[in-house]
Amino acid sequence: MNDKTKVIRVLLAKVGLDGHDRGVKVVARSLRDAGMDVVYTGLHRTPAEVVQAAIQEDVDILGVSLLSGAHMGIIPVILKLLKEAGAEDIAVVVGGVMPDEDAVELKKLGVAEILFQDTPPEKIVSTLRQIAASRGAG
Amino acid sequence: MSAPKKDDAKALLKGVKKRNVRAIARMISLAEAAKPESRDVLAEIYRLAGRAHVIGLTGVPGSGKSTLVKALADAIRVSGRTVGIVAIDPSSPFSGGAILGDRIRMTDLTGDDGVFIRSMATRGAMGGLARASLEAVDVLDAAGFDIILIETVGVGQDEVDIVQAAHTVVVVSAPGLGDEVQAIKAGILEIADIHVVSKCDRSDANATIADIRGMLTLGIRMPKDHGLVHGKEEFEDKPPAADGEWRVEVVATSAETGDGIGELLDTLDAHAKHLNDTGGMEQRRRDIIEMRVIKTAEDIIRRDFKANHDKLAGLMNELMARTIDPHQAAATLLATFKYKEGKYKDGCED
């Protein structure tokens, strides 16, 4: 453990009817090995559950893994709930599979980064570090 | 739910008193980060705390602690009280990172402001219970949560630490884990105020219950006053249920069917009442505070040693040549840190 930097806290969530959690577990492991605290919510959560958990856990980054194609339905709701709770400083990162134009749209809505399924673990770690640093953590 | 500014300590404190979720969460982060500038507000939190019934739950991995905590939290809410939960998972000794998975079993609790769950990593703390975890308990206490549940990592010897952090200690065992009784023999039996046998819907649960009941009635030497206060291990040869002493209960629960959860809550309340009636609560509060002072001092010293690694490096040649020994090196370094009341030289400012 490094005392000189705050440990980056990340909440990883699977939202909605999406049972594919191999990817999110690999990500969780990679982030842990990079020295981060990773809270994992498990499968089939609702946007409200995920947002409340992110706030209680005071995470720097909320990572949502979506392979179900429901990203355009779910992510905007999460962003809205965060805003309503005054927690829009928690960065939302989306991981998984989606059309390129949806990624552009989600970024416009306020998603900090989209990490597609072929992103190498090192890239995921460095991206999250950058995002956390730009928000005053890490 | 308005969000206080990130570093506005006064606004955060106000928010905690009003049980604002964001403020509580941030305050716990302040405790975890342990920056010198947040000491004052955390001291204020300490002054406000001291009302909640703090319950520690421990048991080997897979014994069902998280599931039990969830069921118990539901029962506490039904009884009209609020509950804060500190769920601790281990940090990797190599990377320092951690995967905190206790929430996986606690998800139905969200959406209720009467429940606050915080996952914390051990961050390499000796005994598996980080100083920050106990400060997190203070924050939840100051926020007015009636009952606080600490779920420990529950591995190896770590569970003994919880004895000095909670008013009531619950040891969770599950059927079918094979060496359960061995674990109990190793010392976990003495720390329990209440034993829970979880997963009692399983057919082999009765054997586990019988085992634990049997062990409890074998005339085991009970610690006198919750025992284990840094070396002061006073035991007396009394049967568990002697006059005025707490009779260690075995409660069988099933989160699946809901069996025994209400009984467990009743037993927890009975234990709190027992402690209050006998002055035991006062003693436990003392023990907890004493332990926290020592843990905090350890933290400070460990930080200073890390921050002054160059000084240690300067002694390495002599140490390697064995002209001085580690004890002398430690004493030399400690002398250079010059600890002073009120303003210890904290090497970790950032």
Side-chain angles (χ1 to χ4, degrees):
Chain A
M1 166 186 146
N2 188 346
D3 271 329
K4 293 202 171 163
T5 51
K6 180 188 173 290
V7 175
I8 297 172
R9 284 176 71 85
V10 182
L11 186 110
L12 290 182
K14 291 292 294 184
V15 184
L17 288 173
D18 177 2
H20 301 277
D21 61 353
R22 172 68 62 132
V24 77
K25 284 174 178 164
V26 171
V27 173
R29 176 69 198 266
S30 305
L31 299 181
R32 187 202 79 166
D33 289 347
M36 302 183 195
D37 279 358
V38 183
V39 183
Y40 178 49
T41 64
L43 293 168
H44 311 312
R45 304 281 79 91
T46 66
E49 282 178 331
V50 165
V51 167
Q52 192 186 11
I55 292 170
Q56 288 185 351
E57 299 290 353
D58 194 25
V59 292
D60 305 298
I61 295 165
L62 164 54
V64 184
S65 158
L66 275 167
L67 297 158
S68 63
H71 47 276
M72 295 312 286
I74 287 167
I75 300 300
V77 177
I78 289 177
L79 292 169
K80 180 171 151 272
L81 290 173
L82 278 172
K83 197 164 190 182
E84 280 172 12
E88 59 265 54
D89 57 302
I90 296 174
V92 176
V93 174
V94 180
V97 183
M98 69 178 72
D100 292 342
E101 55 268 33
D102 287 357
V104 173
E105 186 62 28
L106 286 179
K107 277 194 133 179
K108 267 190 213 155
L109 287 172
V111 169
E113 195 55 77
I114 319 275
L115 298 166
F116 290 102
Q117 77 280 8
D118 54 353
T119 315
E122 311 81 56
K123 174 74 181 160
I124 296 173
V125 168
S126 62
T127 304
L128 294 200
R129 280 206 178 117
Q130 267 170 22
I131 292 170
S134 71
R135 304 201 173 225
Chain B
M1 190 162 54
S2 66
K5 276 228 164 116
K6 199 164 184 175
D7 294 315
D8 186 345
K10 265 191 188 156
L12 276 187
L13 189 62
K14 237 182 181 173
V16 169
K17 286 189 205 167
K18 286 188 188 153
R19 224 194 293 147
N20 174 299
V21 179
R22 199 90 216 273
I24 296 167
R26 286 239 200 276
M27 192 65 89
I28 294 175
S29 295
L30 286 185
E32 211 162 29
K35 291 187 184 174
E37 60 266 29
S38 41
R39 285 320 326 167
D40 285 349
V41 67
L42 290 169
E44 195 58 41
I45 288 286
Y46 176 77
R47 272 191 282 281
L48 291 169
R51 291 169 299 182
H53 179 201
V54 182
I55 299 165
L57 294 101
T58 189
V60 297
S63 55
K65 294 182 292 297
S66 298
T67 309
L68 181 69
V69 163
K70 189 245 174 275
L72 193 54
D74 282 339
I76 292 167
R77 291 299 291 138
V78 168
S79 78
R81 286 171 289 178
T82 53
V83 56
I85 298 166
V86 178
I88 304 168
D89 269 329
S91 296
S92 157
F94 302 105
S95 71
I99 292 179
L100 311 169
D102 293 320
R103 276 195 105 97
I104 295 172
R105 318 245 177 273
M106 299 183 194
T107 43
D108 292 343
L109 294 169
T110 48
D112 174 3
D113 276 351
V115 182
F116 188 104
I117 309 168
R118 181 60 170 251
S119 315
M120 299 185 88
T122 53
R123 300 267 168 92
M126 307 276 275
L129 200 62
R131 166 201 52 77
S133 310
L134 299 166
E135 292 185 355
V137 170
D138 273 358
V139 175
L140 294 171
D141 192 341
F145 287 96
D146 299 313
I147 295 178
I148 295 163
L149 305 175
I150 308 174
E151 184 196 328
T152 70
V153 289
V155 192
Q157 295 289 307
D158 293 347
E159 54 271 2
V160 174
D161 238 21
I162 194 66
V163 177
Q164 295 166 15
H167 305 137
T168 304
V169 177
V170 177
V171 174
V172 186
S173 309
L177 289 180
D179 60 348
E180 200 67 71
V181 172
Q182 296 299 329
I184 287 166
K185 277 180 194 164
I188 199 166
L189 189 65
E190 296 96 316
I191 69 170
D193 299 303
I194 300 166
H195 278 279
V196 166
V197 176
S198 63
K199 312 182 191 184
C200 74
D201 46 299
R202 288 175 49 140
S203 58
D204 48 351
N206 280 341
T208 309
I209 297 165
D211 278 344
I212 295 173
R213 285 229 167 93
M215 304 280 279
L216 285 170
T217 51
L218 278 175
I220 283 144
R221 292 146 63 92
M222 298 295 289
K224 195 174 175 185
D225 57 352
H226 213 38
L228 299 170
V229 181
H230 44 94
K232 189 187 75 184
E233 291 182 27
E234 288 178 63
F235 292 91
E236 49 183 5
D237 288 301
K238 265 191 188 176
D243 285 346
E245 280 195 26
W246 172 252
R247 185 192 155 86
V248 178
E249 301 271 357
V250 183
V251 183
T253 64
S254 165
E256 186 77 29
T257 64
D259 283 352
I261 304 294
E263 190 193 345
L264 174 59
L265 182 56
D266 291 346
T267 312
L268 287 165
D269 289 341
H271 187 249
K273 184 177 182 302
H274 170 85
L275 287 177
N276 282 320
D277 291 352
T278 58
M281 188 62 98
E282 163 91 6
Q283 187 56 47
R284 291 204 181 187
R285 287 192 204 284
R286 275 177 183 281
D287 291 350
I288 292 168
I289 292 166
E290 234 182 273
M291 182 270 290
R292 286 182 54 178
V293 172
I294 293 168
K295 265 196 182 292
T296 306
E298 285 173 356
D299 246 32
I300 294 167
I301 293 171
R302 201 171 294 120
R303 276 159 182 278
D304 282 353
F305 269 81
K306 266 192 185 160
N308 292 284
H309 189 261
D310 53 322
K311 288 187 186 169
L312 175 55
L315 296 173
M316 276 317 290
N317 283 343
E318 289 170 87
L319 281 161
M320 289 297 283
R322 297 188 187 263
T323 55
I324 61 169
D325 76 347
H327 186 99
Q328 287 165 325
T332 306
L333 288 172
L334 280 173
T336 66
F337 295 156
K338 294 185 185 116
Y339 295 109
K340 277 190 194 138
E341 190 185 351
K343 52 167 192 177
Y344 58 83
K345 196 169 147 283
D346 192 328
C348 77
E349 286 177 1
D350 55 348

